[in-house]
Amino acid sequence: MSGRVLVGVKRVIDYAVKIRVKPDNTGVVTDGVKHSMNPFCEIAVEEAVKLKEKKLIKEVVAVSCGPQQSQETIRTALAMGADRGIHVDVSGKDYENLGPLQVSKILAALAKQEDAQLILLGKQAIDDDCNQTGQMTAALLDWPQGTFASEVSLEGDKINLVREIDGGLEHIKINTPAVITADLRLNTPRYATLPNIMKAKKKKIVTVKPADLGVDVTSRLEVLKVEEPPQRQAGRV
Amino acid sequence: HLVPVFCLAAHRCARLLQKIKTEHATPQLYTALHRRACSTVSTPRITTHYTIHPRDKDPRWEGVEMERFADEADVVIVGGGPAGLAAAIRLKQLANKHEKELRVCLVEKAPQIGAHTLSGACLEPSALTELIPDWKERGAPLNTPVTEDVFSILTEKYRIPVPILPGLPMQNHGNYIVRMGNLVRWLGEQAEELGVELYPGYAAAEVLFHEDGSVKGIATNDVGIAKDGSPKDIFERGMELHAKVTLFGEGCHGHLAKQLYNKFNLRENCEPQTYAIGLKELWMIDEKKWRPGRVEHSVGWPLDRNTYGGSFLYHLNEGEPLVALGFVVGLDYTNPYLSPFREFQRWKHHPFVAPTLEGGQRIAYGARALNEGGCQSIPKLTFPGGLLIGCSPGFMNVPKIKGTHTAMKSGMLAAEAIFPKLTAETLDSETAGLHVPEYAENLKNSWVWKELYAVRNIRPSFHNYFGLYGGMIYTGIFYWIFRGKEPWTLKHCGTDANQLKPAKECTPIEYPKPDGKISFDLLSSVALSGTNHEGDQPPHLTLKDDSIPVARNLGIYDGPEQRFCPAGVYEYVPLDTGNGMRLQINAQNCVHCKTCDIKDPSQNINWVVPEGGGGPAYNGM
């Protein structure tokens, strides 16, 4: 076992910012808007770093797909304790159309390339709320998946997982290698403190293109229109 | 009397409280232990911050590791605004020119450079051209030259046009309408290219001192302290950044500068600083109403002639029909019922303003305090180990309503004064910070001082029976004709906090209800600022004495903080027991404007920096 964990981190618009639809209704305004790491990805990074601190795994590799600014998000993961980063460079129109299917193909390719034992992801991103990438990645790799994890423990070459489901908590045991997606109560992410940010500047981030991994990022979906939800009308009592 | 009996009961109560194990308890701990001679009603505990309740006496902090990681730089700059960035850029330019290695670190509390920047703004490009002569080729976002300049006195229904004669300070020929947040972001990119280490998201929380009392550097904020002041599992100490010299560019009314004034007695020979609050919105308007390059200013309605303030409305020209508009109110106002936010909202309904906004959409909101003291209020600028730059000491030209060009120039002058000393062979900075008094001398000999001196009497001239009109006449005579050469210097009236009259001497103001199309309510406005803070941290709006707000601010002044805070942080709500009120501080709403620290009539509020990365998320404001 390589003892290597791949953690996916996504750069999204910060959750407290008010979203504005572009005047041409093709998307939302992102220029200059405050972005941060997807909160569920932070939880995934924290879990990976915790596993490394318990000496159950050897290396944490942070991955992000997006434009140049995604490197800032990888930098934050490095500051939280990841060892190195991989930036999959996707920008412009390709980035606007990037969705779970392409990302999961990229992650699957990277998992094979890096000989990963575990892939840790957030359960969903707060911008598209898709909740698909983890599941698709597991399917592409034909790996077991433990989604909505609220507790993770490694037992030899198996993983004990507690999942948060509609009916309550489900306890499962899965083989490795596996894909796990983090839910809110898995842990409380640590802060990326300044000394760690400074140290993170010395850690390596490698940039690759999707084509290098043999992945075609053309989207099968076409966005027709983006509009604001209808104004709430006053209720009647 | 009752007091000894009460104290006995209190003592017993306190012993019982200590027995209860509190695990991140919500802050409703009743402190009947107040030994101060205030009300016998127990005040709910509001302030839990360690600057008011020190941790070395707090049993919850026993055994917690408090050592900090430290690093050394040549220069540390606090604040990533125009002044701080101009200083950083100038330092690196000099270092590259003279082929010297210089480590310049800049810390900024905003999550990204420009996110806490808010300004009108009509930029005078003089300082920028001095700093980066090829700013245009490098893509600086100065896209809107001023084409039209309009000044009005407003009455409730009408408008009196005032000709802007050449030579008056509010003339804007040659200037650019800019989105200051974007310019600051661009300056940040220039600084990074030159090798400055920028650390947005980390706030300077503490000044560090050498044994001899000189400034050694700063420490960034601790993280992971719960709302009740106890350490969380993820608690981590901030980091110490040591430097040979530290530049403080925190902007108007910086919280570290406040401490430095006291420590080094920097304000003993100057007048207290006076301020105004500026509120601003960005609107996407109907294209038919858009007149790119047009600058509009007004005074008068809705303020009365004795309340200083006015409005601005600038048509940007960046490819979309965007206007920046806002309202400024001098914080020396006397009526505690005045709400700067609601004055701003009702001004927008004036027949001269409303048509521009009809059919448009508001996309941003924010507020910030600004300086109005001019050169009378500039403190001593240097002290062993540090210097003050930018709006922190305060170089704003009030009648021009511009302070960015002078702030940048002060940063550049600071860099130029420090550089030779940093690279001098004889340097003993292990135990003492550098003192650079040359900076202050150079500033006094520069165009910054000349400009500020010429307009020094305009703002104070407002304090006469005729208020605004007296001020305008004074400006016309002494500035326009005599260019500020009159031999006297008028004084301000004292601190802004002391100007409030008791509520019973004043009339409440009837503000119209917001219509939801042109004017809006406070909370939806605050949502547009994108402001947020980690919820589980001690409120950063600390009170020196938790009982004073209800006893004094509410009792005498009817709680002016409910009205002057542009973010709805302060609310007086009924006590759970039903009799009496308590102050509720909604710290998460704070937009870091500093108005409360300035205008609190009891000077009981001390704004300290929250966890870095919190605060507004302005985009090109």
Side-chain angles (χ1 to χ4, degrees):
Chain A
M1 277 280 117
S2 68
R4 189 169 295 127
V5 173
L6 228 58
V7 183
V9 294
K10 187 177 181 186
R11 179 175 180 265
V12 297
I13 295 182
D14 186 84
Y15 74 91
V17 168
K18 203 131 200 266
I19 305 287
R20 194 161 62 90
V21 175
K22 282 200 267 204
D24 61 4
N25 291 104
T26 56
V28 299
V29 176
T30 52
D31 213 24
V33 173
K34 176 181 173 190
H35 282 66
S36 43
M37 190 191 290
N38 182 39
F40 296 106
C41 298
E42 283 182 351
I43 297 174
V45 173
E46 175 65 25
E47 197 60 24
V49 174
K50 273 198 161 76
L51 287 173
K52 190 174 97 162
E53 285 171 348
K54 289 189 204 148
K55 301 222 189 324
L56 294 168
I57 55 148
K58 293 208 201 80
E59 194 188 22
V60 178
V61 183
V63 180
S64 192
C65 305
Q68 179 67 19
Q69 296 99 314
S70 295
Q71 295 206 6
E72 289 163 21
T73 314
I74 300 177
R75 212 47 92 184
T76 309
L78 294 172
M80 285 172 73
D83 298 293
R84 58 186 167 87
I86 301 176
H87 167 217
V88 182
D89 190 11
V90 183
S91 43
K93 246 303 160 266
D94 280 339
Y95 179 59
E96 281 171 38
N97 294 331
L98 194 67
L101 184 57
Q102 302 102 308
V103 173
S104 49
K105 287 182 184 168
I106 291 170
L107 289 175
L110 280 172
K112 294 203 189 100
Q113 180 186 288
E114 299 287 329
D115 189 24
Q117 177 188 343
L118 192 60
I119 300 181
L120 265 166
L121 304 171
K123 70 171 181 183
Q124 67 198 56
I126 60 170
D127 53 4
D128 56 22
D129 275 341
C130 283
N131 199 314
Q132 296 167 6
T133 307
Q135 293 87 335
M136 284 178 170
T137 311
L140 287 169
L141 288 166
D142 198 23
W143 285 6
Q145 56 182 263
T147 53
F148 309 98
S150 66
E151 249 181 76
V152 170
S153 55
L154 267 56
E155 200 185 291
D157 62 346
K158 303 219 191 295
I159 304 179
N160 287 322
L161 219 91
V162 179
R163 299 181 62 226
E164 291 198 15
I165 61 173
D166 287 348
L169 297 172
E170 182 186 55
H171 297 252
I172 62 171
K173 195 185 213 120
I174 57 177
N175 294 326
T176 51
V179 175
I180 298 178
T181 72
D183 206 328
L184 196 61
R185 275 155 284 269
L186 181 57
N187 58 50
T188 308
R190 68 195 63 191
Y191 288 88
T193 55
L194 186 54
N196 289 331
I197 288 271
M198 288 179 169
K199 285 188 206 142
K201 292 207 168 172
K202 302 195 180 90
K203 294 186 183 171
K204 271 186 73 175
I205 300 182
V206 161
T207 305
V208 299
K209 284 217 143 4
D212 301 340
L213 302 166
V215 175
D216 174 16
V217 288
T218 3
S219 178
R220 311 252 181 102
L221 304 172
E222 187 194 332
V223 173
L224 298 173
K225 190 175 186 198
V226 177
E227 46 185 31
E228 290 212 3
Q231 289 279 3
R232 283 174 83 175
Q233 299 298 323
R236 268 212 313 224
V237 175
Chain B
H1 301 325
L2 285 166
V3 179
V5 177
F6 187 73
C7 276
L8 196 63
H11 192 60
R12 231 177 276 156
C13 195
R15 296 243 305 278
L16 284 168
L17 276 173
Q18 275 164 20
K19 290 216 181 94
I20 301 168
K21 258 204 157 83
T22 47
E23 214 185 272
H24 308 317
T26 46
Q28 285 297 311
L29 302 164
Y30 278 75
T31 54
L33 311 155
H34 264 308
R35 280 188 268 124
R36 277 174 261 240
C38 44
S39 59
T40 50
V41 181
S42 61
T43 313
R45 167 112 148 210
I46 302 172
T47 303
T48 52
H49 202 272
Y50 62 81
T51 49
I52 305 284
H53 300 283
R55 291 176 287 195
D56 51 5
K57 303 192 180 67
D58 191 332
R60 301 170 299 184
W61 286 87
E62 247 187 77
V64 175
E65 180 58 63
M66 294 299 262
E67 254 214 61
R68 280 188 286 225
F69 187 80
D71 203 358
E72 307 276 329
D74 291 296
V75 181
V76 163
I77 301 177
V78 176
L85 289 167
I89 291 171
R90 181 55 107 208
L91 275 170
K92 275 303 206 177
Q93 286 174 341
L94 288 168
N96 293 345
K97 183 162 133 191
H98 296 267
E99 288 173 356
K100 293 259 180 341
E101 286 280 330
L102 210 59
R103 185 175 185 206
V104 180
C105 290
L106 188 150
V107 287
E108 162 59 49
K109 62 175 166 56
Q112 53 197 52
I113 302 281
H116 286 186
T117 302
L118 184 140
S119 185
C122 254
L123 179 76
E124 215 181 87
S126 51
L128 180 62
T129 311
E130 274 187 47
L131 181 69
I132 302 176
D134 58 343
W135 54 259
K136 205 181 174 93
E137 291 78 37
R138 286 172 173 271
L142 275 72
N143 302 315
T144 313
V146 175
T147 53
E148 260 187 282
D149 212 344
V150 170
F151 196 90
S152 329
I153 302 179
L154 297 181
T155 64
E156 193 175 341
K157 296 196 184 57
Y158 302 106
R159 164 191 173 245
I160 306 167
V162 174
I164 303 183
L165 307 162
L168 275 178
M170 47 287 291
Q171 204 220 3
N172 273 302
H173 183 71
N175 296 333
Y176 291 82
I177 305 174
V178 295
R179 294 176 69 173
M180 194 61 72
N182 291 347
L183 178 59
V184 169
R185 191 170 67 208
W186 177 84
L187 282 171
E189 289 162 13
Q190 305 308 302
E192 266 200 312
E193 258 178 56
L194 285 167
V196 176
E197 288 177 51
L198 295 178
Y199 296 112
Y202 296 96
E206 202 184 311
V207 184
L208 304 167
F209 297 96
H210 287 287
E211 294 228 339
D212 69 347
S214 61
V215 170
K216 186 169 156 185
I218 53 100
T220 59
N221 57 280
D222 294 347
V223 291
I225 305 179
K227 201 164 178 168
D228 65 0
S230 60
K232 294 194 269 200
D233 290 328
I234 43 176
F235 169 74
E236 285 222 40
R237 277 291 256 167
M239 174 175 168
E240 294 191 8
L241 278 171
H242 301 166
K244 301 185 179 116
V245 64
T246 309
L247 276 66
F248 293 87
E250 297 171 287
C252 177
H253 205 77
H255 79 111
L256 292 181
K258 201 171 158 185
Q259 292 172 31
L260 292 166
Y261 294 151
N262 288 333
K263 168 110 182 159
F264 293 105
N265 239 339
L266 301 172
R267 299 204 76 98
E268 55 188 350
N269 292 322
C270 68
E271 289 209 48
Q273 183 66 260
T274 63
Y275 303 87
I277 179 176
L279 301 106
K280 177 178 171 181
E281 288 173 356
L282 285 177
W283 281 68
M284 204 65 96
I285 56 171
D286 187 340
E287 257 195 71
K288 296 189 226 77
K289 323 254 172 104
W290 184 35
R291 297 163 78 165
R294 181 176 163 95
V295 162
E296 289 175 27
H297 290 115
S298 82
V299 291
W301 190 86
L303 299 174
D304 64 31
R305 66 166 196 270
N306 289 109
T307 305
Y308 189 83
S311 75
F312 65 89
L313 198 152
Y314 305 147
H315 292 246
L316 285 151
N317 189 2
E318 299 190 350
E320 41 181 17
L322 196 65
V323 300
L325 62 141
F327 206 77
V328 174
V329 178
L331 285 178
D332 57 349
Y333 68 81
T334 53
N335 186 346
Y337 292 107
L338 191 140
S339 161
F341 173 78
R342 301 193 80 171
E343 299 288 350
F344 175 33
Q345 297 302 316
R346 78 167 161 175
W347 162 77
K348 285 188 279 176
H349 283 286
H350 189 276
F352 185 61
V353 184
T356 310
L357 302 178
E358 262 145 30
Q361 197 204 2
R362 182 175 76 151
I363 63 169
Y365 164 83
R368 183 70 170 93
L370 46 121
N371 305 296
E372 298 218 315
C375 62
Q376 293 95 315
S377 303
I378 296 177
K380 194 154 171 290
L381 296 167
T382 66
F383 41 91
L387 298 80
L388 299 170
I389 55 174
C391 276
S392 180
F395 300 113
M396 197 169 115
N397 181 327
V398 182
K400 261 194 198 176
I401 23 173
K402 291 176 178 47
T404 310
H405 60 310
T406 48
M408 287 178 70
K409 182 66 175 171
S410 74
M412 291 152 64
L413 287 169
E416 286 155 12
I418 296 170
F419 184 73
K421 294 204 148 180
L422 279 175
T423 50
E425 295 304 318
T426 54
L427 201 49
D428 169 43
S429 71
E430 292 297 314
T431 53
L434 265 182
H435 193 188
V436 192
E438 293 80 354
Y439 159 58
E441 289 156 30
N442 296 351
L443 196 82
K444 285 233 165 63
N445 296 329
S446 72
W447 54 257
V448 171
W449 202 266
K450 259 179 60 186
E451 191 179 312
L452 292 179
Y453 189 77
V455 299
R456 74 198 179 285
N457 285 327
I458 296 184
R459 176 67 172 94
S461 72
F462 186 81
H463 296 289
N464 62 78
Y465 181 72
F466 297 103
L468 167 69
Y469 305 109
M472 291 182 77
I473 296 172
Y474 186 97
T475 306
I477 302 174
F478 289 101
Y479 183 78
W480 190 59
I481 302 179
F482 291 116
R483 291 274 167 263
K485 292 198 170 57
E486 67 269 31
W488 56 81
T489 300
L490 298 176
K491 283 178 138 43
H492 301 301
C493 283
T495 65
D496 289 334
N498 283 340
Q499 303 307 314
L500 274 184
K501 294 206 186 105
K504 61 181 192 304
E505 292 173 27
C506 302
T507 340
I509 305 177
E510 274 289 316
Y511 288 106
K513 265 188 146 59
D515 73 346
K517 297 201 198 65
I518 296 199
S519 53
F520 300 89
D521 66 299
L522 186 59
L523 289 179
S524 62
S525 308
V526 176
L528 272 183
S529 70
T531 194
N532 194 28
H533 295 86
E534 159 62 51
D536 193 12
Q537 65 173 307
H540 61 281
L541 302 121
T542 65
L543 304 172
K544 295 186 204 140
D545 183 338
D546 279 353
S547 60
I548 286 190
V550 170
R552 203 161 176 270
N553 288 31
L554 187 61
I556 304 176
Y557 301 99
D558 198 54
E561 56 268 59
Q562 308 172 83
R563 298 184 192 95
F564 61 56
C565 175
V569 170
Y570 299 98
E571 272 187 291
Y572 283 97
V573 296
L575 278 167
D576 295 329
T577 54
N579 49 337
M581 306 286 267
R582 65 175 177 88
L583 178 65
Q584 177 167 286
I585 297 185
N586 306 314
Q588 280 183 276
N589 288 8
C590 182
V591 292
H592 299 204
C593 75
K594 316 293 174 64
T595 302
C596 57
D597 196 312
I598 294 166
K599 189 60 174 168
D600 175 11
S602 313
Q603 286 293 281
N604 187 35
I605 300 174
N606 194 42
W607 190 99
V608 299
V609 77
E611 276 180 16
Y618 297 143
N619 182 9
M621 280 290 259

